[in-house]
Amino acid sequence: MALANEIMGSRLILERSSLPFQSRFSIKKRTQRTQFSINPFEPRPMRAANNSGSIVAAISEDLVKTLRMKEEEKAVKFKVRAVVTVRNKNKEDFKETLVKHLDAFTDKIGRNVVLELISTQVDPKTNEPKKSKAAVLKDWSKKSNLKAERVHYSAEFTVDSAFGSPGAIMVTNKHQKEFFLESITIEGFACGPVHFPCNSWVQSQKDHPSKRIFFTNQPYLPNETPSGLRTLREKELENLRGNGKGERKLSDRIYDFDVYNDIGNPDISRELSRPTFGGRDFPYPRRCRTGRSSTDTDLMSERRVEKPLPMYVPRDEQFEESKQNTFAACRLKAVLHNLIPSLKASILAEDFANFGEIDSLYKEGLLLKLGFQDDMFKKFPLPKIVTSLHKSSEGLLRYDTPKIVSKDKYAWLRDDEFARQAIAGINPVNIERVTTYPPVSNLDPKIYGPGLHSALTEDHIIGHLDGLTVQQAVETNRLFMVDYHDIYLPFLDRINSLDGRKAYATRTILFLTRLGTLKPIAIELSLPSQSGSNRKSKRVVTPPVDATSNWMWQLAKAHVGSNDAGVHQLVNHWLRTHACLEPFILAAHRQLSAMHPIFKLLDPHMRYTLEINAVARQTLISADGVIESCFTAGQYGLEISSAAYKNKWRFDMEGLPADLIRRGMAVPDSTQPHGLKLLVEDYPYANDGLLLWSAIQTWVRTYVERYYANSNLIQTDTELQAWYSESINVGHADHRDADWWPELSTVEDLVSIITTIVWLASAQHAALNFGQYPYGGYVPNRPPLMRRLIPDESDPEFASFMEDPQRYFFSSMPSLLQTTKFMAVVDTLSTHSPDEEYIGERQQPSIWTGDAEIVDAFYGFSAEIGRIEKEIEKRNSDPSRRNRCGAGVLPYELMAPSSEPGVTCRGVPNSVSI
């Protein structure tokens, strides 16, 4: 063996070293240092044996094999120990408890959990990976009644000295019940402890006969995979891809693509039929395939699975127990639309009479009519599960006070707050700089008629420009706009024909004051041109000068808020973060091995996304679901989302700097810290977002440069190229021919692509999601739908408006049922679960990778995230930053990285998890 070691050089020496288990990267030279290099990536000392590389070239392979085989015949056997960590459920139902006891009994008679250790080396006799003999997990039956969250078991392997380093482990579950395998650590090898971070459900052999494969935490590019692991690497990916056939079982681990053909339910009624999203007619990203059969009525539609039955996602993508409990508890807050039909009917058409009735939802609760509360609490044992839902003898259902009215009850009424939310609210990504006034539509006049010209004139705004001319305001970057004209106008005829839905296509002009704040100076309201109608297709509303114009102005702002709520939910939130990331996640599991360094980098940013997207298809974006029920667009909401995907979405513009420049909110400037200059200096979303973007980018660059010393390694990385290609050509098939897709040829290309994905999954989603209840829970602030247009003097409704404008205002708002249903849903969406993982955090932070220096670099990234959090706190206390600090002004915390569980209006989770 000594001669073989000399011949083969340092590789064998490193494998048998008494130093901690290390990858080949421990001697790789980095291209540059970064701020996250706590221990800079310097080359480690080389052993003298490394100089034998020239000998290897001179000695024949046959001689090496012969020497090894002779040594293996004399190999000494020794024992190594596995410590296996299994995570228990906190609560089990009767069936689960029964099966658990049965497994404990049968474990004693040989139906147990079996492990096999796989070497990184190939056995020269068989040309197969070296394997240990099977080892049984000890004491399963003895520990079956332990109440601990984590239970540690052990197993003992006998291997010989020629085994080499362990690279994989096979697990067979002969029990009846699945179990969650958190990790395995092997102790006893000369290289030190060997870690297997598993974090996966292991199914019973009776359901899934194949053995489960888990790899060590060592990262390997495909062409550097040890010989003993190459076949297993490809086999595991084949298992995850499946064959594209059949209906998926809930216990499956198969990732595949399909179109959105399960939104409607035509078997119930024609009214619930919906088109397929994904394809020529309605372009859309692809979702996770379930393989369910088609409906009876429409062979192109997939049969739905309705609550409480679960929708298929791969088993490891399902919510863990604490997440399930949080989500289930929050769902109970949506109790109103599940109540007995008589209660539903009694409040269906009920309007709020005044602002006091809205306030009572937070102060006193919803007073249920006498007799209903008993039925409700029999059906929903609320006090046992949700402590924030308060029961009394009168049947109260109380909501937490949204933050928007917590500091200043009337802040939402102010124009400066209305404008501030365009840069510091829940949807700060639509504001753009005005480059041409009046604004110009990009819609085709051949399709939408000649009436596309804006009704805005200089006279509408000249008195609000602090003495500037309109041209001067444009040239000095003082005019901004929130423009929903083109996205809504094509749908307005259909939307306004729906019962109880009325909408305009709005444009809001904002002026940047010398103090750095914005003020709204004009709102344009557009309808499709209709021949024979007395109603004007366009009108412009300006800041009020009297009582009548004040109510008109408030109604105009409410319609803007309704437009904004719809685009926020259907486009910026659902489409751009949830739906558009799903193809990248599916392709990652299908094409990137768990050993691939890029998979390890992306892993925390994919958690729970497939599950929450499946829940959305089931209850939120489905026919007659929450989005259709509560938002102005109704059943045409996903068509609006599809149009935005077709006409607006571009992956190369989804990164923060590119998006800011595209909207004219920033210009490139190499002298600035982030390489660009903001044209609204106090733009909280952009200010804080750029801090996080830069930290993410630096971390990703540190990581990528660790494994890719040059562009050739990226171009020849078969798994990486397959992942990116499948994400585009299958996952985003409707854009596969677009010329704007970034290439993946260089290190910088990969850094940019991964940074954008991590940004969208973490900071961008957080900024768009966790303020939904704090800002939208007070419905007058941003109503999700409007039920009446603004009357003009020729309308019959004008007289009733003049007689009681407040009543008209509330009759335009969502009804009581619509309001409470919406509040319950956005409360759920705004809630952090106790098991949330925030940016800068990872499961098993010290062993998620076997590259110790990358672990150190990640701790550096975490430290930088902590510094960013302190900087955000400092900014929120700076009175010169008027858009986040002032009397009654909410601090901007949606980019603050950490959070407690619950609705906090802060916190940046790693992934799209809610």
Side-chain angles (χ1 to χ4, degrees):
M1 192 66 178
L3 178 57
N5 281 346
E6 282 188 20
I7 292 173
M8 294 307 293
S10 64
R11 185 169 66 83
L12 291 180
I13 291 177
L14 284 175
E15 286 178 348
R16 304 198 60 199
S17 166
S18 59
L19 295 172
F21 188 62
Q22 297 160 354
S23 74
R24 55 142 184 90
F25 300 112
S26 62
I27 57 171
K28 177 172 179 179
K29 191 169 184 177
R30 289 192 65 254
T31 55
Q32 68 180 59
R33 296 189 184 186
T34 74
Q35 67 187 82
F36 298 148
S37 303
I38 293 181
N39 291 333
F41 296 163
E42 298 294 347
R44 293 185 180 175
M46 305 282 282
R47 297 201 174 198
N50 283 346
N51 296 326
S52 63
S54 58
I55 300 176
V56 175
I59 302 297
S60 72
E61 291 285 337
D62 291 338
L63 177 57
V64 174
K65 289 182 179 180
T66 301
L67 289 170
R68 275 186 167 175
M69 291 175 68
K70 287 182 178 179
E71 291 295 334
E72 285 171 6
E73 291 173 1
K74 304 175 184 178
V76 177
K77 296 186 180 299
F78 64 98
K79 292 183 178 181
V80 295
R81 178 173 177 264
V83 177
V84 179
T85 302
V86 172
R87 191 187 306 166
N88 281 337
K89 292 182 69 174
N90 292 320
K91 295 181 180 179
E92 295 177 334
D93 59 28
F94 176 76
K95 182 180 178 181
E96 288 174 325
T97 302
L98 191 64
V99 173
K100 183 178 75 172
H101 289 309
L102 178 63
D103 284 340
F105 173 75
T106 58
D107 187 83
K108 297 178 180 178
I109 57 174
R111 287 176 54 182
N112 37 36
V113 177
V114 180
L115 311 178
E116 292 175 87
L117 205 55
I118 313 296
S119 171
T120 58
Q121 298 177 6
V122 169
D123 188 332
K125 297 178 182 177
T126 63
N127 267 343
E128 295 289 328
K130 295 179 181 179
K131 294 182 182 179
S132 71
K133 290 185 178 180
V136 173
L137 217 57
K138 298 178 180 179
D139 297 332
W140 187 281
S141 58
K142 290 182 180 179
K143 297 182 177 181
S144 62
N145 290 321
L146 288 180
K147 300 299 182 182
E149 181 181 5
R150 289 173 176 82
V151 179
H152 303 289
Y153 301 93
S154 64
E156 200 170 74
F157 299 95
T158 299
V159 296
D160 59 49
S161 55
F163 184 81
S165 298
I169 197 164
M170 287 188 172
V171 181
T172 303
N173 177 13
K174 297 182 180 179
H175 293 163
Q176 297 289 309
K177 186 171 177 282
E178 67 177 6
F179 65 88
F180 188 84
L181 179 57
E182 187 171 90
S183 66
I184 301 173
T185 300
I186 308 294
E187 299 170 336
F189 282 96
C191 61
V194 181
H195 299 288
F196 295 80
C198 303
N199 298 307
S200 180
W201 290 95
V202 179
Q203 300 301 320
S204 169
Q205 189 180 37
K206 68 180 177 63
D207 297 320
H208 293 267
S210 298
K211 299 175 182 179
R212 283 298 308 278
I213 304 167
F214 295 99
F215 298 105
T216 71
N217 59 357
Q218 291 302 110
Y220 296 105
L221 295 177
N223 63 346
E224 296 161 337
T225 309
S227 56
L229 304 180
R230 289 171 191 160
T231 301
L232 289 179
R233 182 171 186 150
E234 183 52 41
K235 180 181 178 181
E236 175 68 355
L237 286 175
E238 289 175 357
N239 292 339
L240 293 169
R241 292 182 195 124
N243 60 11
K245 299 177 182 179
E247 182 173 352
R248 299 273 64 84
K249 298 183 296 184
L250 292 176
S251 58
D252 285 346
R253 295 172 56 247
I254 295 176
Y255 298 77
D256 205 353
F257 297 91
D258 207 344
V259 293
Y260 283 72
N261 61 351
D262 60 346
I263 301 302
N265 200 339
D267 285 350
I268 292 182
S269 73
R270 291 180 59 185
E271 287 72 27
L272 294 180
S273 179
R274 296 293 181 269
T276 293
F277 294 93
R280 183 182 62 185
D281 294 336
F282 296 100
Y284 220 60
R286 301 304 190 258
R287 49 91 172 179
C288 183
R289 179 185 178 275
T290 65
R292 298 191 303 269
S293 60
S294 62
T295 61
D296 296 332
T297 309
D298 180 3
L299 295 180
M300 301 304 292
S301 294
E302 188 173 88
R303 193 178 302 276
R304 285 185 55 76
V305 173
E306 304 292 357
K307 280 292 183 184
L309 297 176
M311 187 95 79
Y312 170 77
V313 294
R315 182 64 182 98
D316 290 340
E317 306 302 318
Q318 296 171 26
F319 291 159
E320 293 179 18
E321 188 176 13
S322 63
K323 179 77 170 182
Q324 287 176 336
N325 292 339
T326 300
F327 197 74
C330 288
R331 281 177 59 86
L332 289 178
K333 292 186 180 181
V335 66
L336 284 176
H337 67 280
N338 289 316
L339 292 181
I340 52 179
S342 55
L343 173 58
K344 197 178 227 184
S346 70
I347 65 173
L348 183 61
E350 191 100 2
D351 293 336
F352 292 102
N354 51 55
F355 289 104
E357 288 194 359
I358 297 178
D359 294 342
S360 69
L361 292 176
Y362 318 114
K363 291 181 179 179
E364 303 168 6
L366 182 65
L367 179 60
L368 302 181
K369 294 186 177 181
L370 188 62
F372 288 129
Q373 72 272 20
D374 294 335
D375 289 333
M376 183 185 76
F377 289 115
K378 286 177 184 177
K379 187 175 182 181
F380 298 97
L382 300 178
K384 299 178 182 178
I385 303 175
V386 187
T387 58
S388 60
L389 297 182
H390 301 283
K391 176 185 174 185
S392 77
S393 59
E394 293 183 323
L396 296 175
L397 184 64
R398 194 167 73 191
Y399 294 85
D400 294 330
T401 301
K403 280 199 170 184
I404 185 61
V405 290
S406 64
K407 294 185 70 175
D408 183 348
K409 183 178 178 181
Y410 302 106
W412 68 277
L413 281 167
R414 298 198 316 264
D415 285 356
D416 63 288
E417 176 61 24
F418 173 79
R420 188 190 73 87
Q421 289 184 32
I423 55 175
I426 190 56
N427 189 35
V429 298
N430 274 104
I431 186 172
E432 58 187 291
R433 179 166 55 93
V434 172
T435 57
T436 302
Y437 188 89
V440 177
S441 172
N442 291 318
L443 295 176
D444 187 349
K446 294 178 181 178
I447 299 175
Y448 300 104
L452 296 176
H453 297 295
S454 174
L456 287 161
T457 67
E458 292 193 5
D459 290 341
H460 287 123
I461 65 173
I462 192 66
H464 303 281
L465 303 181
D466 289 355
L468 299 176
T469 66
V470 173
Q471 189 62 28
Q472 287 172 329
V474 171
E475 291 175 353
T476 56
N477 304 320
R478 303 282 293 278
L479 276 188
F480 296 85
M481 172 174 63
V482 178
D483 186 358
Y484 297 128
H485 178 276
D486 286 6
I487 195 166
Y488 273 100
L489 194 73
F491 298 92
L492 284 184
D493 279 335
R494 286 180 288 168
I495 291 173
N496 289 339
S497 68
L498 297 172
D499 185 36
R501 304 293 168 94
K502 289 293 181 283
Y504 298 97
T506 66
R507 284 190 181 110
T508 304
I509 305 299
L510 304 163
F511 179 70
L512 181 63
T513 71
R514 291 188 177 90
L515 295 176
T517 58
L518 293 168
K519 65 178 182 180
I521 57 176
I523 296 173
E524 181 182 32
L525 307 168
S526 296
L527 295 169
S529 300
Q530 293 180 344
S531 58
S533 174
N534 292 328
R535 182 181 289 274
K536 296 178 181 178
S537 63
K538 295 181 184 295
R539 66 190 296 182
V540 176
V541 183
T542 55
V545 294
D546 57 24
T548 301
S549 60
N550 179 68
W551 280 105
M552 293 286 189
W553 181 243
Q554 294 301 334
L555 283 167
K557 290 197 296 182
H559 274 282
V560 172
S562 176
N563 271 195
D564 188 72
V567 171
H568 162 258
Q569 197 67 269
L570 292 161
V571 179
N572 298 330
H573 177 211
W574 164 252
L575 172 67
R576 292 174 62 185
T577 60
H578 286 258
C580 285
L581 282 176
E582 185 158 347
F584 293 99
I585 294 171
L586 290 170
H589 286 280
R590 289 167 53 84
Q591 303 297 342
L592 296 176
S593 167
M595 288 189 283
H596 199 291
I598 297 302
F599 185 90
K600 292 180 180 294
L601 176 60
L602 288 174
D603 188 36
H605 306 291
M606 303 188 290
R607 186 178 188 231
Y608 291 154
T609 303
L610 298 185
E611 170 81 344
I612 195 61
N613 285 4
V615 171
R617 298 202 318 275
Q618 193 172 35
T619 61
L620 295 180
I621 63 172
S622 57
D624 203 30
V626 171
I627 300 296
E628 290 194 3
S629 301
C630 296
F631 287 83
T632 291
Q635 68 191 63
Y636 306 110
L638 272 194
E639 293 187 33
I640 290 177
S641 185
S642 171
Y645 179 69
K646 176 182 179 180
N647 300 319
K648 289 285 188 181
W649 185 82
R650 289 179 49 160
F651 181 76
D652 64 329
M653 293 290 150
E654 287 299 282
L656 179 59
D659 179 57
L660 291 171
I661 292 170
R662 172 176 61 172
R663 293 189 281 118
M665 299 303 293
V667 293
D669 186 342
S670 60
T671 67
Q672 296 296 314
H674 307 288
L676 49 76
K677 178 183 178 183
L678 293 175
L679 299 183
V680 178
E681 292 184 9
D682 183 14
Y683 184 178
Y685 160 79
N687 297 138
D688 296 357
L690 286 169
L691 292 178
L692 288 176
W693 171 271
S694 293
I696 293 168
Q697 185 181 56
T698 303
W699 157 238
V700 171
R701 178 170 284 110
T702 300
Y703 191 98
V704 167
E705 289 179 350
R706 176 70 164 161
Y707 301 103
Y708 297 96
N710 55 65
S711 296
N712 183 59
L713 288 174
I714 286 178
Q715 295 162 16
T716 58
D717 186 333
T718 54
E719 288 184 5
L720 184 70
Q721 293 296 332
W723 163 69
Y724 191 53
S725 175
E726 188 172 67
S727 298
I728 295 170
N729 294 306
V730 182
H732 286 281
D734 301 325
H735 280 311
R736 65 161 67 94
D737 297 323
D739 60 5
W740 41 253
W741 282 105
E743 292 185 0
L744 181 50
S745 300
T746 68
V747 171
E748 196 55 40
D749 290 341
L750 181 56
V751 169
S752 176
I753 290 166
I754 299 297
T755 300
T756 298
I757 290 172
V758 173
W759 160 260
L760 291 171
S762 57
Q764 179 77 325
H765 177 259
L768 295 168
N769 183 74
F770 292 103
Q772 290 193 78
Y773 186 81
Y775 280 95
Y778 189 76
V779 167
N781 179 55
R782 43 184 292 113
L785 64 83
M786 295 293 285
R787 294 185 290 159
R788 303 178 80 169
L789 297 175
I790 303 174
D792 58 34
E793 294 182 6
S794 63
D795 290 331
E797 297 175 323
F798 189 76
S800 62
F801 163 74
M802 292 294 290
E803 181 178 346
D804 193 342
Q806 180 173 266
R807 182 175 181 180
Y808 190 94
F809 180 85
F810 283 111
S811 69
S812 301
M813 291 276 158
S815 69
L816 175 60
L817 178 63
Q818 290 167 331
T819 294
T820 51
K821 182 176 181 178
F822 172 76
M823 288 167 60
V825 171
V826 294
D827 178 79
T828 300
L829 296 179
S830 303
T831 299
H832 290 293
S833 63
D835 71 337
E836 200 82 86
E837 292 174 13
Y838 298 95
I839 192 163
E841 299 177 348
R842 286 196 69 132
Q843 291 184 5
Q844 300 154 318
S846 62
I847 63 166
W848 64 272
T849 177
D851 189 336
E853 292 175 355
I854 282 294
V855 171
D856 284 347
F858 182 75
Y859 284 130
F861 172 58
S862 299
E864 177 62 15
I865 294 299
R867 287 189 286 270
I868 289 171
E869 180 147 5
K870 291 179 180 178
E871 174 61 24
I872 290 173
E873 292 174 2
K874 181 180 176 182
R875 290 175 175 183
N876 284 327
S877 301
D878 183 353
S880 69
R881 297 178 181 265
R882 290 178 171 83
N883 292 317
R884 62 196 304 160
C885 181
V889 176
L890 291 184
Y892 188 74
E893 297 181 308
L894 288 169
M895 294 279 192
S898 69
S899 175
E900 296 295 321
V903 179
T904 63
C905 202
R906 61 175 292 142
V908 180
N910 276 322
S911 62
V912 178
S913 59
I914 187 65

